[in-house]
Amino acid sequence: MTAALIGGAIIGVAVSLMLVFNGRVTGISGIVSGVLSPRKNDISWRILFLLGLLSGGVLLRFIQPEAFQNASNNMGLIDYAVAGLLVGFGTLLGNGCTSGHGVCGISRLSVRSIIATIVFITFGVLSVFIFKTLRGGV
Amino acid sequence: MKGLISFIVGLLFALGLGLSGMTQTHVVKGFLDVFGNWNLNLMGVMIGAIAVHSIVYHLIKKKESPLFDSKFHLPTKKDLDGRLITGAAIFGLGWGWAGICPGPGIVSLVSGDLNIVVFILSMAVSMYAFKFYEEKFLK
């Protein structure tokens, strides 16, 4: 679990910088949504954040190439398409995802975020259970 | 300066996701596979991130404003409505099905994997659809 803890701590530092300097919650779904339908003077920081994510991804390809190796063999393109639809709609309807609710909101002891996180983890567990039952593996 | 901070936050965030295993769909699905080969490792990501951020939040919550902006932009909603619960449930179903949430999805675009590209495009289309739905039915 050490790698996960260290990775998590780095994420904690990142979202803390965003709050201390820019006064913003680092919620990825909200940031993406704000790029898709931008408001005046509220887009450049979002684009730069996303460019940061992609640059971090490029860096990872050098320092941790296994970060992009996947062992899920039971997935087709249609699965990714359907999952993307659910994630896009669900995160906007519920005002957040793993980062905004799961990390930032819980850290502020927001009751909404705590409830949302319990619900999306529960339904994530249910989804994996259904997937495995239908496909015979993750 | 706000832009530079955002870029650095994005970069660090991506590194944290990659180092912790969040960009590997089988690791995420393993964490959600409670009734099978449950891999609790990912719990470390939330513990690490929340431990650091809750301390920082506690230290600065009395401050009037952040360093580079005139005010904090924090959510003010308090109500536990059906919208929050339904949205979180729909998101959870998608997250579990593919093992990808928005952050790791965007970071993984650099792998050039067509599956990831389809996931992100589909997510963006769905976000547009939501905005249309929201305008029509939720306002």
Side-chain angles (χ1 to χ4, degrees):
Chain A
M1 198 185 278
T2 317
L5 276 169
I6 293 170
I10 293 173
I11 291 170
V13 169
V15 301
S16 296
L17 291 173
M18 186 70 107
L19 184 68
V20 172
F21 285 93
N22 294 2
R24 298 262 175 195
V25 171
T26 313
I28 316 277
S29 54
I31 292 174
V32 173
S33 156
V35 171
L36 294 178
S37 47
R39 283 181 316 195
K40 212 169 170 236
N41 296 328
D42 186 49
I43 186 156
S44 58
W45 72 275
R46 295 171 189 269
I47 303 254
L48 282 159
F49 172 79
L50 296 178
L51 287 175
L53 277 185
L54 293 172
S55 308
V58 171
L59 203 56
L60 278 169
R61 289 191 70 165
F62 291 102
I63 61 173
Q64 180 104 342
E66 63 270 28
F68 301 113
Q69 280 165 9
N70 281 313
S72 301
N73 301 318
N74 299 301
M75 298 277 294
L77 265 186
I78 186 76
D79 292 299
Y80 289 95
V82 171
L85 289 178
L86 294 170
V87 169
F89 199 89
T91 51
L92 294 202
L93 184 64
N95 294 108
C97 58
T98 348
S99 50
H101 282 312
V103 175
C104 297
I106 290 188
S107 298
R108 295 195 316 274
L109 296 178
S110 151
V111 177
R112 271 173 63 85
S113 290
I114 293 168
I115 299 287
T117 305
I118 292 170
V119 172
F120 68 64
I121 289 182
T122 304
F123 277 79
V125 168
L126 179 71
S127 185
V128 167
F129 180 76
I130 297 169
F131 186 94
K132 280 185 71 177
T133 308
L134 294 176
R135 306 284 171 84
V138 293
Chain B
M1 283 309 282
K2 279 193 271 189
L4 179 66
I5 293 292
S6 297
F7 180 83
I8 294 169
V9 170
L11 191 116
L12 285 174
F13 201 105
L15 291 180
L17 289 174
L19 296 176
S20 63
M22 285 289 292
T23 51
Q24 291 167 285
T25 59
H26 62 279
V27 176
V28 174
K29 289 178 113 176
F31 170 66
L32 296 171
D33 191 10
V34 177
F35 304 112
N37 293 319
W38 196 13
N39 175 0
L40 255 173
N41 268 351
L42 272 194
M43 192 63 92
V45 186
M46 287 194 79
I47 295 172
I50 291 170
V52 171
H53 192 51
S54 55
I55 293 170
V56 173
Y57 175 71
H58 185 75
L59 292 175
I60 67 148
K61 68 180 175 187
K62 296 268 163 59
K63 295 241 188 304
E64 294 263 309
S65 66
L67 295 172
F68 293 160
D69 204 327
S70 54
K71 62 178 172 63
F72 285 101
H73 305 267
L74 294 174
T76 49
K77 270 195 205 166
K78 291 263 188 287
D79 45 327
L80 300 171
D81 49 7
R83 193 183 148 158
L84 177 81
I85 312 288
T86 314
I90 294 172
F91 163 51
L93 288 175
W95 181 40
W97 200 260
I100 311 170
C101 53
I106 291 165
V107 175
S108 299
L109 281 174
V110 304
S111 69
D113 185 341
L114 180 64
N115 293 323
I116 304 289
V117 175
V118 166
F119 176 88
I120 293 295
L121 284 177
S122 179
M123 180 180 94
V125 167
S126 182
M127 285 179 163
Y128 271 119
F130 174 79
K131 286 173 193 293
F132 181 75
Y133 169 80
E134 186 181 38
E135 278 300 318
K136 261 206 128 92
F137 300 106
L138 298 178
K139 276 179 181 167

